[in-house]
């Protein structure tokens, strides 16, 4: 579990970088739409985080289904994160500081729900495979062994 938490944190840090870069570019392109640009940045970080978490944190191949489930899981976190972000913007915070304060809330929600739902079924299948491993194929006899 500790390895998963560490890797999830590392992946999350890369997601923060993606989020800030995309947010900065999006706000430059669409300065009058702060919520839209924020949601674009959040989704960009969700996609990269899913791909990296599937491979590095949970050691599973990414899939469209998993991406969909991960988006559902992070949607709740994104709603909380966006609400905190908008609240702080309304209080005069700089958008990057507001973003950096809002991100940990979504991160915690995302980890717990990923562990419990997105990657759980696949891990259970792997655990069951370890209990009853497949048998090795029988060696083929050569013509001289008969």
């Amino acid at each position: 579990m500790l390895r998963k938490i560490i890797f999830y944190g590392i992946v999350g840090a890369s997601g923060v970088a993606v989020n800030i870069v995309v947010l900065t570019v999006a706000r430059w392109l669409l300065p009058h739409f702060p919520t839209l640009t924020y949601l674009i940045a959040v989704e960009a970080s969700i996609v990269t985080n899913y791909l990296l978490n599937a491979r590095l944190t949970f050691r599973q191949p990414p899939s469209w289904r998993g991406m969909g489930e991960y988006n559902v899981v992070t949607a709740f976190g994104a709603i909380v994160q966006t609400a905190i972000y908008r609240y702080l913007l309304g209080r005069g915070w700089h958008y990057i500081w507001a973003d950096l304060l809002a991100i940990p809330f979504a991160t915690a929600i995302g980890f717990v729900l990923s562990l419990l739902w997105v990657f759980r079924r696949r891990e259970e299948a792997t655990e069951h495979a370890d209990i009853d491993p497949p048998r090795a194929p029988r060696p083929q006899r050569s013509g001289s062994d008969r």
Side-chain angles (χ1 to χ4, degrees):
M1 182 61 74
L2 181 59
R3 185 192 74 68
K4 287 179 185 173
I5 292 170
I6 290 169
F7 274 92
Y8 198 86
I10 292 168
V11 169
S14 74
V16 170
V18 169
N19 185 291
I20 290 173
V21 168
V22 172
L23 180 61
T24 301
V25 171
R27 283 185 60 96
W28 181 75
L29 293 171
L30 303 166
H32 302 294
F33 302 97
T35 302
L36 175 63
T37 58
Y38 190 71
L39 292 173
I40 290 169
V42 168
E43 184 60 24
S45 64
I46 288 170
V47 169
T48 59
N49 283 0
Y50 169 72
L51 294 172
L52 292 173
N53 274 318
R55 288 287 186 193
L56 300 176
T57 306
F58 298 99
R59 297 184 180 190
Q60 297 175 10
S63 68
W64 287 110
R65 179 180 177 169
M67 175 71 79
E69 291 173 350
Y70 193 77
N71 263 280
V72 169
V73 161
T74 56
F76 180 69
I79 290 167
V80 171
Q81 183 176 339
T82 303
I84 293 168
Y85 174 79
R86 292 292 297 162
Y87 175 80
L88 294 173
L89 280 183
R91 299 292 178 264
W93 285 51
H94 187 273
Y95 70 92
I96 290 179
W97 290 114
D99 189 32
L100 290 173
L101 186 64
I103 287 170
F105 291 95
T107 301
I109 291 167
F111 179 75
V112 170
L113 295 178
S114 290
L115 191 62
L116 296 175
W117 184 47
V118 177
F119 296 102
R120 181 180 176 132
R121 284 179 293 209
R122 292 177 207 118
E123 283 187 351
E124 286 175 348
T126 302
E127 289 171 8
H128 292 300
D130 291 341
I131 293 170
D132 190 15
R135 295 181 185 173
R138 294 181 187 192
Q140 297 290 329
R141 290 192 201 183
S142 65
S144 62
D145 290 343
R146 293 184 193 175

